[in-house]
Amino acid sequence: MSAPQEPRRNHLDYRQAGVDIDAGNALVEAIKPAIRSTKRPGADGTIGGFGGLFDLKALNYRDPVLVAANDGVGTKLRLAIDSGHLDGVGIDLVAMCVNDLVVQGAEPLFFLDYFATGKLDIAEAARVVESIAEGCRQAGAALIGGETAEMPGMYHGGDFDLAGFAVGAVEREALLPRTDIIAGDILIGLPSSGVHSNGFSLVRKIVEVSGAKLHDPAPFAAGMKLSEALLVPTRIYVRTILDALAADAPIKGLVHITGGGFIDNIPRILPETVAANIDLAAITVPPVFSWLAKEGGVAEREMLRTFNCGIGMILVVPTDEAEQTCNLLSGFGETPNIIGELAAREGDPVTFTGALDL
C-alpha cells in the first residue's frame, strides 16, 4: 500500500509567478480603438483571432510580389524608457520596417508588433501601441495583430522591448532597384527628422561622457529637453515615395539610410561597376549631429558610417530628369537636395568630396 501524499502547500497560480493574464486581456480591450484607426482596404481593423487577416485580392494587383521586413528600435528604447518619453517609439518601430519596404517600390499593407516586458503596465503599453498605430496611419498600413509577452525574470523593472514586422506588395514590373542604374545618374537626398533609430549606443555614450542629463535643456534645440530632441521619431517616407512613383517619377533606386550610414547602405543598390560620389558640402547637417560629433570627438567618417547626418532617404534618378524630380518632390512638401552622382567605380563604392558642416 502506497504512502499517503502530502497536501499541496503553496497553491501557486500564474499571477503569483509574475504573469497576469487579466492584464493582457485588459490591454487588448484598451488598444482596440487604435487598431481600428489603421483600417484600410484589405483589412477590417479588428484583432483577437489567432492570426491577422489581409485580403490581397481587394487591392486588384495584377502580378504582385510580396515584400517583408522586420526590425526593432534598438537602444533608442533605453533612452525612451529612462526619460519616460514613450510616445514616439512606436513610430520608430513602424518607420524602420516600412521605409525598408518602400525602397523596393512596395506599398506597406500590414504590420504586426511584438511587445515583451517583465511586468505589464497597461497604461504604458497602450501608449506604445497607440504610437505604433500612429506610425501605421502615416504609412497607410493596417495594424492587424501582434503579441504581448509578460516574462518576469527576462526583463527587469520597467524595461521592455519591441519588434515589428511589415509586409508590402509591388507589381513585379515595378520592383526597385531597377537594372539600369548607370554612371552619371544623380543622387537626391531627402532630409531626416534627426538621429532616427540608429547609432544610439554611441549616442548614449556621448551623453554619458558629456555630463549632460536627459532632463536638461537640449543645447542644440531651443525649447526641448535633451531626451526629447534625441528621441524625435524616425521619418516615414512612404507617402512621399509612393506619390512620386504614382506620378511616374523616374526613380531607378532608393536607399534608406539606416545602420551603416552612407558607407554601408548605398552600395546595396549599386551595380559592381558603379560608385557613388557624395558631396558632403551639399548636405544640410541638423544641429544634433554637430553636437554629437563635438561632444564625442567623433571623426567625420565614423559619423558617416553610424548616423544619417541629415539625409534619411536617397533617390537615384537620370541626370536629365533630376531637376524635374526635385520639383515634383517639392510639390509634395519635401525639401529635396542633389547630394551627388554616380560614376564608374575605381575603388571604394562610396566616395566623398567636401566636408560635413559639423
Side-chain angles (χ1 to χ4, degrees):
M1 182 175 181
S2 61
Q5 293 183 345
E6 293 186 10
R8 294 186 179 94
R9 293 171 294 177
N10 294 320
H11 303 288
L12 291 175
D13 59 22
Y14 211 2
R15 186 191 298 265
Q16 289 169 302
V19 179
D20 188 342
I21 295 175
D22 291 335
N25 292 336
L27 175 62
V28 171
E29 290 302 315
I31 64 177
K32 281 184 176 179
I35 306 299
R36 285 195 294 269
S37 74
T38 70
K39 180 179 177 180
R40 55 152 294 154
D44 62 6
T46 62
I47 58 171
F50 285 96
L53 302 179
F54 192 93
D55 181 8
L56 191 59
K57 186 177 180 181
L59 303 184
N60 297 316
Y61 279 100
R62 300 186 309 278
D63 186 19
V65 173
L66 295 180
V67 184
N70 71 294
D71 213 329
V73 183
T75 57
K76 185 175 188 178
L77 199 54
R78 178 77 267 159
L79 281 184
I81 293 171
D82 289 347
S83 65
H85 294 297
L86 303 177
D87 296 321
V89 292
I91 298 173
D92 288 310
L93 184 67
V94 175
M96 296 303 290
C97 296
V98 298
N99 285 341
D100 280 353
L101 296 184
V102 79
V103 296
Q104 295 179 262
E107 171 195 6
L109 301 179
F110 60 84
F111 190 86
L112 299 99
D113 69 278
Y114 176 75
F115 181 103
T117 184
K119 178 65 176 176
L120 183 60
D121 181 320
I122 298 173
E124 178 182 83
R127 286 173 63 194
V128 173
V129 174
E130 172 53 43
S131 179
I132 293 171
E134 172 57 25
C136 288
R137 291 191 291 268
Q138 291 183 25
L143 181 54
I144 66 170
E147 171 69 6
T148 301
E150 194 172 27
M151 299 191 292
M154 289 290 292
Y155 299 89
H156 302 284
D159 287 354
F160 63 88
D161 200 7
L162 295 172
F165 309 85
V167 172
V170 56
E171 296 287 5
R172 191 180 306 272
E173 64 193 29
L175 271 168
L176 296 175
R178 286 168 25 184
T179 58
D180 59 344
I181 293 176
I182 58 173
D185 286 341
I186 297 298
L187 302 175
I188 299 173
L190 300 182
S192 66
S193 57
V195 187
H196 285 184
S197 298
N198 297 105
F200 269 85
S201 292
L202 180 55
V203 170
R204 289 167 51 236
K205 187 65 176 179
I206 293 170
V207 171
E208 177 187 334
V209 300
S210 75
K213 305 299 181 185
L214 293 178
H215 59 269
D216 288 346
F220 53 86
M224 299 182 75
K225 295 179 181 178
L226 179 59
S227 57
E228 293 172 323
L230 292 174
L231 292 170
V232 172
T234 305
R235 272 202 67 191
I236 292 176
Y237 295 91
V238 168
R239 295 200 177 184
T240 289
I241 297 302
L242 292 182
D243 285 348
L245 291 171
D248 294 324
I251 298 172
K252 294 185 175 185
L254 293 158
V255 182
H256 181 203
I257 303 300
T258 57
F262 294 83
I263 294 172
D264 290 345
N265 283 298
I266 296 174
R268 295 167 71 176
I269 71 162
L270 297 179
E272 292 186 358
T273 58
V274 174
N277 296 324
I278 306 295
D279 178 9
L280 297 179
I283 296 174
T284 300
V285 181
V288 60
F289 296 108
S290 301
W291 183 81
L292 290 169
K294 291 173 182 175
E295 291 295 327
V298 185
E300 182 182 76
R301 187 170 181 84
E302 187 68 13
M303 293 290 295
L304 291 165
R305 194 174 189 183
T306 306
F307 300 117
N308 66 64
C309 297
I311 299 294
M313 184 70 70
I314 296 175
L315 295 73
V316 180
V317 300
T319 184
D320 60 348
E321 297 186 81
E323 183 177 354
Q324 169 191 341
T325 304
C326 285
N327 290 338
L328 177 68
L329 293 167
S330 296
F332 296 147
E334 285 287 348
T335 52
N337 192 22
I338 293 176
I339 61 169
E341 63 180 332
L342 302 184
R345 188 182 302 191
E346 298 177 354
D348 292 337
V350 182
T351 61
F352 302 97
T353 58
L356 289 174
D357 184 14
L358 296 171

